[in-house]
Amino acid sequence: GFPVLAASLMGLLVLAIGACNVSSMRHLYSMARRQPRRGTPAATAATPRMEELDHLILLGLMTVLFTICSLPLIVRAYMGAFATDFNENADLSALRFLSVNSIVDPWVFIIFRTSVFRTFVRRVCQR
């Protein structure tokens, strides 16, 4: 019963975090749409429209990474509870996959910071 309980709670947490992040992304998108376009007189006083979109992309990427890294452990916990085969290597791989999230998230945040991301996009678009 413990693996099912742990996997269910972890699944609920992943769903709750995903729902909250999707709600935040929706609000960031609506904030970006309300901002005046660049070049209009009202745009000089407002925060740039790209800032909300940069945060939206960053939050979306981190949410997808978190979900992808968490699902293998949840699946392995359910499989371990209901399946008769015992595959220790698959269980260890699922745990390693979950630990990758804590390693990759700071790097994603550093690489896709607003200034670095805008510089990267400008260089790619120029080519």
Side-chain angles (χ1 to χ4, degrees):
F2 180 72
V4 173
L5 178 65
S8 298
L9 286 175
M10 190 168 175
L12 286 173
L13 286 173
V14 168
L15 283 174
I17 290 170
C20 290
N21 286 350
V22 166
S23 174
S24 296
M25 287 187 286
R26 190 183 58 142
H27 289 290
L28 280 170
Y29 181 71
S30 66
M31 284 173 53
R33 288 185 55 108
R34 281 187 292 215
Q35 294 292 329
R37 298 224 181 248
R38 289 185 181 194
T40 60
T44 57
T47 55
R49 179 185 178 129
M50 282 299 293
E51 188 172 339
E52 284 86 6
L53 295 177
D54 290 342
H55 290 296
L56 179 118
I57 291 169
L58 179 64
L59 184 59
L61 184 61
M62 292 178 91
T63 302
V64 168
L65 283 172
F66 171 72
T67 304
I68 289 172
C69 289
S70 300
L71 286 179
L73 185 63
I74 296 169
V75 170
R76 284 302 306 165
Y78 277 122
M79 287 178 65
F82 297 117
T84 57
D85 66 334
F86 179 73
N87 189 351
E88 188 174 309
N89 288 333
D91 293 341
L92 288 175
S93 295
L95 283 172
R96 287 180 186 131
F97 211 73
L98 182 65
S99 68
V100 164
N101 185 46
S102 61
I103 297 168
V104 171
D105 268 350
W107 285 103
V108 168
F109 185 77
I110 291 168
I111 292 171
F112 286 95
R113 279 188 326 218
T114 305
S115 60
V116 175
F117 183 68
R118 285 185 190 164
T119 304
F120 175 74
V121 169
R122 277 191 218 122
R123 287 186 182 175
V124 169
C125 291
Q126 286 176 355
R127 292 182 185 165

